Amino acid sequence: MATELQERATAFMDANPVFRREEFAAAMGLPKGSAPVSRLLGQQVATERLTRLRREVYATLPNRKAPGRLMLPDYIHASKYRPDGVLGYHTGLRLFGIQYSVTVSQVQVISNGPAGYARTPFGRCRFIKPHRALVDAGKTDFLAVWKEPAGIPVRVTAFERTLVDVLHRPGRAGGKDEVIDSLATAPYVLKSFDPGKVADYVELLGIRSLAGVVGWWLERWQSELDVPERVLDRLRAMLPDWRSYRLRARPGKAELVSRWRVYLHPDALDPTFQGTWPDQPLEVP
């Protein structure tokens, strides 16, 4: 029986270079907190087959006999740090291949657990709580999709949700310039896009001032992304009576987009401030 468990453990680790304890236990057909699970994992850590990244999160170490094997990207590891974790914000931009800067080392994980930062072998991981409107509606997984970078399934906010999130909180995506530059590549890179889902998400959040900056961006790329006028009408119906400031605009350094009742930083309205041009190669994570 011990030999059989060891063989199953080896097969699991070969197929899952990063995993949670409960995933390992389920594959072994054992309770998560059982002694055999602790013993098996402890043996693999002792022999340096595994390393413990975090409590109940393990990763396989590179095989010394196969030096060509690469370490996994940081967001693969981070995706396992919380059972309900969803990658988002700048990490979402990375996974859709549209991040402008490759120097942003922080990984963002959306989770119902405590917010804050964690030190990891690859740098800092930031845990961000989902918006209260999603929690209240029981829809924290709204527009979360699966992607398989490096052949490993991870959950990430769909581009439609990522778009709204980074326009709402640019500081969580590397800042205003990073957001403007990254989103300028999106219309030329996206393989699919559903503008209606963008309006669905803004309506679910219920942030009226957010409709202005999102509507402005969709209208700017309306022809490239085939945005129906009815979607823009839905966002116009949400506009507040006041004029809001977005993308780090502030009095004295802002330009008004009157039809969307939003002040934007001048860089956002500069057609030459668009990051990588479509014919230039992108850094793909």
Side-chain angles (χ1 to χ4, degrees):
M1 180 66 176
T3 301
E4 179 185 348
L5 276 178
Q6 290 171 350
E7 291 176 349
R8 288 166 65 183
T10 298
F12 177 85
M13 290 184 293
D14 287 342
N16 298 273
V18 59
F19 57 88
R20 296 187 59 83
R21 180 188 176 105
E22 58 262 34
E23 294 172 326
F24 179 81
M28 298 302 102
L30 296 169
K32 172 185 171 182
S34 66
V37 168
S38 297
R39 185 166 53 251
L40 284 167
L41 291 172
Q43 290 171 349
Q44 299 303 323
V45 171
T47 59
E48 298 186 350
R49 176 74 169 82
L50 289 179
T51 184
R52 195 173 79 160
L53 294 175
R54 191 173 173 82
R55 186 173 180 270
E56 300 191 343
V57 182
Y58 297 84
T60 58
L61 292 169
N63 188 341
R64 295 188 181 91
K65 296 181 181 179
R69 178 178 175 181
L70 299 176
M71 291 293 287
L72 293 172
D74 50 7
Y75 51 77
I76 298 288
H77 291 156
S79 71
K80 295 292 185 178
Y81 277 19
R82 295 277 178 86
D84 67 336
V86 178
L87 301 172
Y89 295 95
H90 192 264
T91 308
L93 297 177
R94 288 177 64 188
L95 282 162
F96 286 100
I98 60 174
Q99 90 282 6
Y100 183 69
S101 172
V102 296
T103 62
V104 179
S105 59
Q106 184 186 107
V107 175
Q108 295 85 19
V109 178
I110 302 169
S111 166
N112 284 299
Y117 296 89
R119 292 186 180 276
T120 73
F122 51 77
R124 287 209 306 176
C125 176
R126 182 178 182 181
F127 298 110
I128 301 170
K129 284 183 172 293
H131 193 276
R132 174 55 58 185
L134 300 182
V135 176
D136 291 345
K139 295 183 177 182
T140 55
D141 287 340
F142 189 75
L143 290 180
V145 298
W146 289 94
K147 292 182 72 67
E148 294 192 9
I152 299 171
V154 298
R155 285 199 307 167
V156 59
T157 54
F159 175 75
E160 291 84 356
R161 176 173 169 179
T162 304
L163 166 67
V164 176
D165 284 344
V166 300
L167 287 173
H168 180 38
R169 298 288 191 183
R172 296 175 178 175
K176 164 187 66 67
D177 292 354
E178 178 70 9
V179 168
I180 295 171
D181 282 333
S182 297
L183 293 183
T185 69
Y188 307 104
V189 174
L190 293 177
K191 295 180 180 178
S192 63
F193 179 68
D194 187 342
K197 291 180 179 179
V198 176
D200 291 342
Y201 185 47
V202 176
E203 290 171 348
L204 178 58
L205 292 178
I207 305 173
R208 295 176 64 192
S209 61
L210 185 55
V213 65
V214 173
W216 159 78
W217 192 87
L218 289 179
E219 186 178 63
R220 182 175 188 176
W221 299 101
Q222 184 172 10
S223 60
E224 290 84 354
L225 293 173
D226 195 23
V227 179
E229 195 64 31
R230 65 179 179 275
V231 170
L232 299 179
D233 288 340
R234 289 171 63 186
L235 294 170
R236 289 190 189 101
M238 281 192 65
L239 290 177
D241 296 332
W242 64 91
R243 296 166 177 174
S244 60
Y245 287 82
R246 289 286 173 176
L247 289 177
R248 302 301 184 188
R250 61 184 185 275
K253 198 158 190 177
E255 294 186 23
L256 175 64
V257 182
S258 58
R259 62 186 174 278
W260 289 105
R261 298 176 197 167
V262 63
Y263 284 100
L264 298 175
H265 194 283
D267 288 344
L269 301 172
D270 182 356
T272 65
F273 195 85
Q274 294 184 358
T276 304
W277 293 104
D279 60 344
Q280 291 180 316
L282 292 172
E283 183 73 22
V284 179

